[in-house]
Amino acid sequence: MTNNPPHSFYNDYIWTEILTNDEPDNQSSEVSCNFDYETMPDGIKHLFIDIGFSSNRAKIMFRSGFRFEDSLMAWKQIFTHDVLFNFVNTAIEVTYKAFIDFCSIKDISYTENLKFDQVLPNNITNTIIGLYQNRRSIEDEKNAHLIKIIALECKTGTDPTLIFKTTFAILDELMFLNPQFNNKDNRMAFADYIPMPCYVTLRRYCLLVETEDIQLNLLNTIRFFQCLDCALQLLMDDKYETILKSLASKSMDQDNINDYIKAGTDLFNQLHEMLKPSKARLLNLEDLPDWNSILN
């Protein structure tokens, strides 16, 4: 056990949106929340609180991450009001600052001192605790064997670097970045397969492969293959040209995409070959959806 207190270690925008609205700016705002968490292979726990903040000028979703180095502290101890409230309050404050920064950078007008309901931190804390107790903790128990098993180990600088980087670059275009796609609708549709907070957590961890070795448990391995399948399908449809133009700004050209398609296809083939001897089945990877009809 360590006496190091939990601390903030990560802050970043999940998505942003500029609204076209001719109505006068006002002091009201809408706030939403979500959350995710992960236990790292060394036992360190990460709690992520996602706060959505919107006025009639702009919207953002912002993630605050907190690290718990006490490996003996259980999630059910963390998801209590006494522990969680201060982290929620911090996340709200950080998101408010991020909103102001975004508006300033984009030259968006906003009302100073936007009004918050004084009970907001308490309400969000109770909402997160309820979601954890009534849904996520139950899912954790159901998926316990998938969470404990390390299924995919990746060394930095190898083929998975290209695969991870390109997969999430493609999906981010559909769900967050490219206004030629229906970003909001795509986020909602994709969340039927992978909850958005879990996608954001998975993306962050997988992209660490650019600088360090990573390990994915079986649950996240399944989720990543769902992401990979989605990205590969999107490159086989009329969305391809739009995606390719967007990726060009990230120094990804036709040759990179060709290498990605080959590497991604090979990785799927390796997975199937690995499963053959044991006759194991990963049901989430059977009868995969037609992503081109789902995402627009």
Side-chain angles (χ1 to χ4, degrees):
M1 177 181 287
T2 176
N3 293 322
N4 291 337
H7 60 276
S8 174
F9 80 104
Y10 179 82
N11 292 291
D12 200 6
Y13 295 91
I14 296 177
W15 54 262
T16 62
E17 183 178 355
I18 299 174
L19 303 178
T20 303
N21 196 326
D22 295 330
E23 296 179 7
D25 197 13
N26 55 55
Q27 294 187 14
S28 65
S29 61
E30 294 183 5
V31 180
S32 59
C33 71
N34 219 318
F35 70 101
D36 195 26
Y37 50 93
E38 61 182 352
T39 302
M40 307 306 291
D42 58 6
I44 289 176
K45 293 179 172 63
H46 293 161
L47 168 68
F48 300 105
I49 299 176
D50 302 339
I51 301 294
F53 189 93
S54 65
S55 70
N56 60 342
R57 290 285 189 265
K59 295 182 179 181
I60 70 167
M61 178 66 76
F62 194 83
R63 168 162 287 199
S64 299
F66 304 93
R67 186 193 307 272
F68 295 77
E69 296 186 5
D70 183 350
S71 61
L72 298 182
M73 191 173 190
W75 285 115
K76 64 181 180 181
Q77 295 173 290
I78 294 173
F79 284 100
T80 58
H81 198 282
D82 287 346
V83 174
L84 192 62
F85 178 83
N86 287 336
F87 297 115
V88 169
N89 199 44
T90 297
I92 293 172
E93 293 175 352
V94 170
T95 300
Y96 175 73
K97 182 180 183 304
F99 177 80
I100 299 302
D101 290 344
F102 175 71
C103 289
S104 298
I105 292 170
K106 298 298 183 180
D107 196 25
I108 299 170
S109 63
Y110 62 91
T111 300
E112 296 285 350
N113 300 318
L114 287 165
K115 293 181 179 178
F116 286 101
D117 189 327
Q118 295 299 311
V119 299
L120 179 63
N122 187 66
N123 288 344
I124 289 181
T125 300
N126 290 335
T127 296
I128 291 176
I129 291 173
L131 288 171
Y132 171 76
Q133 292 177 342
N134 299 320
R135 188 180 70 189
R136 287 296 300 272
S137 62
I138 297 171
E139 293 174 357
D140 287 350
E141 185 174 351
K142 182 177 67 175
N143 295 321
H145 63 294
L146 301 179
I147 296 172
K148 292 178 180 177
I149 298 173
I150 299 298
L152 187 62
E153 299 186 62
C154 303
K155 299 289 186 181
T156 184
T158 57
D159 282 347
T161 303
L162 169 68
I163 295 174
F164 287 144
K165 182 178 179 180
T166 311
T167 295
F168 292 111
I170 292 170
L171 297 188
D172 283 354
E173 290 295 322
L174 271 288
M175 293 191 287
F176 304 125
L177 301 176
N178 194 324
Q180 295 184 62
F181 300 115
N182 297 322
N183 302 142
K184 180 180 178 181
D185 290 348
N186 286 342
R187 289 195 296 269
M188 294 175 63
F190 190 83
D192 288 338
Y193 299 88
I194 302 176
M196 195 50 52
C198 298
Y199 168 81
V200 176
T201 303
L202 177 65
R203 178 188 64 185
R204 175 191 169 275
Y205 187 56
C206 286
L207 294 182
L208 290 177
V209 78
E210 292 191 275
T211 57
E212 61 187 75
D213 300 342
I214 66 169
Q215 297 177 322
L216 294 182
N217 61 36
L218 185 52
L219 178 60
N220 279 334
T221 298
I222 292 171
R223 286 174 172 165
F224 172 70
F225 273 100
Q226 290 176 296
C227 292
L228 174 60
D229 175 68
C230 179
L232 289 172
Q233 283 193 39
L234 294 172
L235 293 176
M236 305 300 168
D237 197 70
D238 56 4
K239 301 177 183 64
Y240 173 77
E241 291 297 333
T242 303
I243 293 172
L244 187 61
K245 288 179 182 177
S246 297
L247 295 184
S249 64
K250 301 176 181 178
S251 301
M252 296 183 189
D253 58 17
Q254 183 67 66
D255 289 340
N256 297 133
I257 297 300
N258 291 341
D259 290 342
Y260 167 71
I261 293 172
K262 182 180 185 306
T265 303
D266 288 347
L267 190 60
F268 255 110
N269 291 335
Q270 291 172 26
L271 175 67
H272 294 313
E273 290 299 317
M274 180 184 70
L275 294 175
K276 276 183 182 179
S278 63
K279 297 182 180 180
R281 298 176 63 187
L282 300 178
L283 298 181
N284 290 51
L285 298 181
E286 296 182 8
D287 193 25
L288 288 161
D290 178 4
W291 289 107
N292 282 299
S293 67
I294 294 172
L295 305 181
N296 299 290

